[in-house]
Amino acid sequence: MILALTLAASISHAVDATVKPLMAKNSIPGMAVGVVAGGKPFFFYYGLASKQTGQPISARTLFELGSISKTFTATLASYAGQRGFISLSDKVEKYLPALRGTQFGGATLLNLGTHTAGVLPLQVPDGVDNDDQLVAYLKGFRSPKTPGTVRVYNNVSIGTLGLIVAKSMHEDFASLMDRRLFPELGLEHTYIDVPPAKMADYAEGYRTNGTPVRMTPGELWPEAYGVRTTAPDLTRFLRIQMGAIEVDPLVARAISATHTGYFRAGPMTQDLIWEQYPWPVALSALLEGTDMIEDVVPVRRLNPPLSPQPDVWLNKTGSTNGFAAYVAFVPSKHMGIVLLANKSYPLNERVKAAFDILSKL
């Protein structure tokens, strides 16, 4: 009991010392932090979910995850693979016949899930508002680099993977997430489509100029950046990643498979969406990898792929116009962190904050 109290106090001090100055520097209205230490979760809540109403951040507060949503899409794709609906080695054109013979159609589903499908734009282009328009755009897409040669971070490829998975499983993507995957993971307050009864818990997001904003749906938004969740639910997701919580064996295998390393890109190994670094890791390596988000980075295919490793730092950032998020965990140390904020702030500051907190444990 004394050790548990000492650990809780130590974590609380470390989180306070980092998060309070971070919020002040970036004028962040509210933050929720989940820390996993020794496989156990600890939670900390700061500030306001809404400046207008004065509602405080709490365990019930829903945050937009932005691109951390991609890790759930990757999990669903891995689950579909475990059940035989898809294979990551399949080409896109197998599932989207209109793309047969095109450059994008020749990319594999693995390319879609590892940002190696070509030099794609970060966002779905303006004027592409539905699946038919997306397919028409991809049909004419030409990349100066062939699939599997470079890593270019983007929403288009992972979004298309989610689209293909839903098509192969004969169900709407949002329904697959809300009615199948999230319940399988025991996530009771995680949504693509937020129920009306939960809207009161949905934090107000804030632009850099302080005006309120929430996510605007668009083509591929559920697949690429559409998840809303709480700090306890996202921390549970991290604990499942580390094997601290048992789930259905098929789901557990699917999650483990997302930690497989497929490409070497700069200082990182690109897994199925997750970004992997050898542990122990230097902060400089994490920042270098984070800064690659807008770069065209040459990759080296790992053959055979790197099986899931315990001594690694796995992480993912996520942003929308009004929210900022970061998650990281080290399986062998049974430690991890969730940072959720209702205002966007620089990626490197999130990484520094998480590294600082975990380094103090």
Side-chain angles (χ1 to χ4, degrees):
M1 176 65 74
I2 294 175
L3 285 175
L5 291 173
T6 301
L7 177 60
S10 175
I11 295 171
S12 178
H13 177 74
V15 174
D16 279 353
T18 298
V19 170
K20 288 180 178 179
L22 179 71
M23 292 179 67
K25 177 183 177 181
N26 294 282
S27 300
I28 299 170
M31 287 189 68
V33 180
V35 175
V36 179
K40 299 184 181 303
F42 301 84
F43 300 101
F44 308 90
Y45 304 103
Y46 303 86
L48 300 176
S50 170
K51 293 190 288 186
Q52 182 180 7
T53 66
Q55 180 176 334
I57 297 290
S58 72
R60 299 188 308 274
T61 304
L62 293 172
F63 292 83
E64 296 176 5
L65 289 190
S67 287
I68 293 175
S69 305
K70 293 177 172 65
T71 64
F72 289 97
T73 302
T75 301
L76 184 65
S78 184
Y79 176 75
Q82 294 285 330
R83 293 191 57 193
F85 287 104
I86 64 165
S87 170
L88 292 177
S89 62
D90 289 339
K91 292 184 177 180
V92 171
E93 62 188 15
K94 176 179 177 179
Y95 303 92
L96 300 175
L99 298 181
R100 189 167 289 124
T102 67
Q103 186 184 53
F104 193 86
T108 65
L109 303 194
L110 177 63
N111 294 139
L112 300 187
T114 54
H115 303 299
T116 58
V119 185
L120 287 151
L122 175 60
Q123 307 290 356
V124 175
D126 291 341
V128 176
D129 300 317
N130 57 52
D131 294 349
D132 289 340
Q133 291 175 348
L134 175 69
V135 170
Y137 164 74
L138 294 175
K139 194 170 185 178
F141 171 74
R142 298 291 183 274
S143 169
K145 300 292 185 179
T146 57
T149 61
V150 294
R151 177 190 185 268
V152 179
Y153 187 88
N154 70 95
N155 288 335
V156 178
S157 57
I158 185 63
T160 304
L161 177 59
L163 194 72
I164 287 172
V165 169
K167 181 181 175 70
S168 72
M169 296 182 75
H170 310 290
E171 196 168 335
D172 175 73
F173 180 86
S175 295
L176 283 168
M177 294 296 242
D178 286 337
R179 298 176 188 174
R180 286 217 222 176
L181 183 62
F182 297 154
E184 284 279 9
L185 297 171
L187 306 181
E188 299 179 349
H189 306 286
T190 301
Y191 315 98
I192 295 293
D193 294 319
V194 180
K198 296 295 182 180
M199 287 299 293
D201 294 326
Y202 191 168
E204 195 73 71
Y206 294 91
R207 295 184 176 91
T208 54
N209 65 6
T211 58
V213 62
R214 282 182 179 154
M215 180 169 43
T216 301
E219 176 64 3
L220 298 182
W221 75 272
E223 297 88 349
Y225 53 87
V227 176
R228 277 68 67 93
T229 192
T230 63
D233 263 20
L234 190 55
T235 303
R236 177 183 172 86
F237 185 53
L238 246 60
R239 295 177 71 207
I240 293 171
Q241 304 290 322
M242 293 185 280
I245 296 176
E246 289 189 10
V247 293
D248 179 87
L250 188 66
V251 176
R253 289 196 297 272
I255 287 173
S256 178
T258 66
H259 304 164
T260 300
Y262 293 102
F263 292 93
R264 183 73 177 172
M268 76 165 69
T269 297
Q270 181 66 62
D271 299 353
L272 201 61
I273 292 299
W274 290 106
E275 298 157 5
Q276 179 185 137
Y277 301 81
W279 176 263
V281 63
L283 176 60
S284 58
L286 295 175
L287 295 176
E288 181 185 349
T290 301
D291 287 342
M292 292 181 348
I293 194 166
E294 297 181 358
D295 298 337
V296 178
V297 181
V299 297
R300 176 173 61 86
R301 178 75 180 264
L302 300 181
N303 191 14
L306 181 66
S307 60
Q309 301 291 306
D311 290 319
V312 290
W313 172 291
L314 290 142
N315 73 186
K316 186 72 191 76
T317 58
S319 304
T320 59
N321 287 334
F323 290 82
Y326 181 67
V327 293
F329 61 99
V330 182
S332 65
K333 297 296 181 183
H334 306 289
M335 73 175 184
I337 190 165
V338 165
L339 296 175
L340 298 172
N342 60 344
K343 183 182 179 184
S344 190
Y345 63 101
L347 299 178
N348 59 5
E349 293 198 26
R350 305 175 212 177
V351 175
K352 288 177 183 177
F355 189 84
D356 185 46
I357 291 169
L358 292 185
S359 296
K360 292 175 180 176
L361 297 187

